Amino acid sequence: MKVKKKKVLFVGSFVEKAKDGSVGGQMYACKSLINSSLSESVDWVLLDTTGNSVPPPPVFIRMFNAIGRVIRFIFLMIFKRPDFTLIFSANVPSIYEKGFMVLISSFLGVKTILAPRGGPLVTDIKNSAFAAKYVPYIVSKSSYIICQGNFWEEFFKGIQVTESKTKYVVIPNWIDTDKYLYKIPQNVHNNVAEVPTILFMGWIQEDKGVFDLLQALESNLLVDYKLKIVFMGDGPGKNNLIQLVSQLSHTNHQYEFPGWLHGQEKSDYLYHADVFVLPSYAEGMPNSLMEAMASGVVSIATNVGAVSELIQNKETGILVEVNDVKAIAQGIAYVLDNPEERNRMIKQARDLTISSHSISNAALKLAEIINKG
């Protein structure tokens, strides 16, 4: 007998890219779920809440758009009558909007799976008395909280204590590992003419650590190297970064700013990269880092959010502290000068990504929650 599918109202990001051409981890996470094996047991009702741009538009425009989305949510709840709601959120401003949806779902007696994914959430709550009360309340009204890693499970347990043993579910962030090329490790110095490529992917803005990375690249530790530097992405800090690069009078490095890339173009950059660097000040469990690890690119990242669950220092990559310019430079030099260590880390990082961060693992765990009702 054919089992009836559960109807799930899914609030998230489902477009290929935002209006400003940007892409993000939440877009990938949402789209990959509806294209996964989970769709065999779930009938999706989609409500797209993709932001217009970064930086976001003025507050009154954001409020107008948010009110419109909440109204559409109420309409879908009444007329589609879902069995579950699955709600993805980002930082605190996103949770303000998504929190209303959680409360509506709770009022109507529909179970809610809330998936907060914003790296700045910890700081946002510390800096806002209202958020410090509102977010725990929304967490308490949710049936399940999807935590991207053990760090986030402990964080949410810390702000909203519950006797429930099933409320907090750890589902590590995921990617489609089959889509990423695996580069056979090679010594980047096996040919004196070779120029190693250092890759950054993401929003080009201060809290992603891009200016720390530039300082590290131009520091005395890397002055004798000749490197190709790629800042892939866009953002409010891009023009400032380009201006700083243009003012460098004695650099040995080449700099590229290709913007947002997708599909094969993005894969080509990952394939040819020698080192990936993500010096962010806040992260959840970043897709870009997992993409680099799955592509066979040795990675250096800051110890924020659940990053330490991806990178064990000098085992699956290099872990540094926020704002530590010297450590970033030392990490780059270390992986370039130690090919055997680099190749060992590459293999272990890819093994970890495939075993623990595949879309199939995430789909199975979500199916368990939805099917048990």
Side-chain angles (χ1 to χ4, degrees):
M1 185 176 70
K2 189 175 181 180
V3 178
K4 183 181 177 182
K5 289 185 175 184
K6 293 289 181 70
K7 187 178 291 185
V8 176
L9 174 51
F10 190 176
V11 180
S13 180
F14 309 104
V15 297
E16 289 300 317
K17 54 187 177 181
K19 291 180 180 178
D20 63 353
S22 61
V23 295
Q26 190 165 147
M27 288 182 190
Y28 173 79
C30 294
K31 289 185 295 183
S32 62
L33 278 180
I34 61 176
N35 291 320
S36 72
S37 60
L38 192 55
S39 293
E40 296 173 7
S41 57
V42 170
D43 181 16
W44 298 109
V45 179
L46 305 182
L47 175 57
D48 186 82
T49 57
T50 306
N52 291 330
S53 63
V54 172
V59 173
F60 72 92
I61 295 178
R62 295 170 66 188
M63 288 183 63
F64 178 81
N65 292 336
I67 291 169
R69 290 190 291 261
V70 170
I71 291 171
R72 289 198 296 275
F73 180 84
I74 295 171
F75 177 88
L76 292 172
M77 289 292 291
I78 293 172
F79 292 99
K80 294 296 184 178
R81 303 179 68 84
D83 301 298
F84 261 96
T85 56
L86 172 59
I87 301 175
F88 274 53
S89 67
N91 52 13
V92 162
S94 171
I95 289 187
Y96 288 158
E97 172 189 343
K98 306 301 172 55
F100 276 104
M101 298 179 183
V102 170
L103 296 176
I104 292 164
S105 186
S106 176
F107 177 77
L108 294 175
V110 178
K111 289 187 175 181
T112 299
I113 305 169
L114 180 63
R117 301 173 64 86
L121 193 58
V122 177
T123 305
D124 289 346
I125 290 176
K126 286 181 180 178
N127 294 338
S128 169
F130 178 74
K133 294 181 179 180
Y134 181 78
V135 175
Y137 180 66
I138 296 305
V139 169
S140 72
K141 291 296 183 180
S142 303
S143 308
Y144 300 93
I145 303 294
I146 302 301
C147 308
Q148 287 186 284
N150 296 323
F151 170 90
W152 291 105
E153 180 185 25
E154 292 305 311
F155 171 75
F156 287 113
K157 283 182 176 179
I159 66 171
Q160 210 288 310
V161 179
T162 177
E163 294 181 359
S164 172
K165 296 181 179 180
T166 60
K167 185 183 189 73
Y168 300 104
V169 182
V170 175
I171 303 181
N173 201 7
W174 57 86
I175 60 172
D176 185 352
T177 52
D178 293 337
K179 288 186 176 180
Y180 297 93
L181 302 171
Y182 183 46
K183 179 173 58 177
I184 301 300
Q186 295 178 0
N187 182 352
V188 295
H189 294 312
N190 63 356
N191 185 328
V192 293
E194 185 177 13
V195 178
T197 297
I198 313 298
L199 176 64
F200 168 88
M201 296 190 302
W203 289 105
I204 300 178
Q205 55 193 39
E206 185 175 3
D207 64 3
K208 288 295 183 179
V210 292
F211 299 105
D212 295 342
L213 176 54
L214 179 61
Q215 288 184 54
L217 292 164
E218 295 299 329
S219 69
N220 291 335
L221 286 167
L222 297 175
V223 70
D224 294 329
Y225 293 80
K226 186 176 182 181
L227 305 172
K228 176 181 176 182
I229 321 299
V230 178
F231 285 94
M232 184 192 301
D234 207 339
K238 183 176 180 180
N239 289 339
N240 190 13
L241 192 63
I242 292 174
Q243 184 178 14
L244 290 173
V245 168
S246 70
Q247 293 170 354
L248 297 172
S249 56
H250 301 292
T251 185
N252 287 329
H253 310 323
Q254 308 168 30
Y255 287 87
E256 288 188 18
F257 297 87
W260 294 111
L261 297 179
H262 315 278
Q264 191 57 48
E265 284 186 310
K266 181 179 180 179
S267 295
D268 287 344
Y269 271 93
L270 281 164
Y271 183 83
H272 291 102
D274 296 286
V275 185
F276 174 75
V277 186
L278 185 65
S280 296
Y281 299 173
E283 290 288 349
M285 183 175 277
N287 282 58
S288 60
L289 180 55
M290 291 188 293
E291 290 173 326
M293 293 168 68
S295 300
V297 185
V298 68
S299 299
I300 300 169
T302 39
N303 185 13
V304 293
V307 167
S308 63
E309 294 171 47
L310 290 170
I311 292 187
Q312 292 85 51
N313 193 38
K314 293 191 176 179
E315 295 296 327
T316 55
I318 302 293
L319 197 64
V320 301
E321 296 305 317
V322 170
N323 285 136
D324 196 337
V325 171
K326 184 178 180 180
I328 296 170
Q330 289 173 331
I332 293 172
Y334 180 82
V335 297
L336 294 180
D337 293 341
N338 294 275
E340 290 185 4
E341 283 294 289
R342 170 177 167 269
N343 296 345
R344 180 182 61 81
M345 286 188 281
I346 285 172
K347 183 181 184 304
Q348 293 184 168
R350 187 168 193 266
D351 290 346
L352 172 68
T353 309
I354 291 172
S355 63
S356 302
H357 300 278
S358 67
I359 178 60
S360 58
N361 288 344
L364 284 172
K365 289 184 178 181
L366 274 171
E368 289 178 8
I369 295 173
I370 293 169
N371 289 330
K372 73 180 180 182

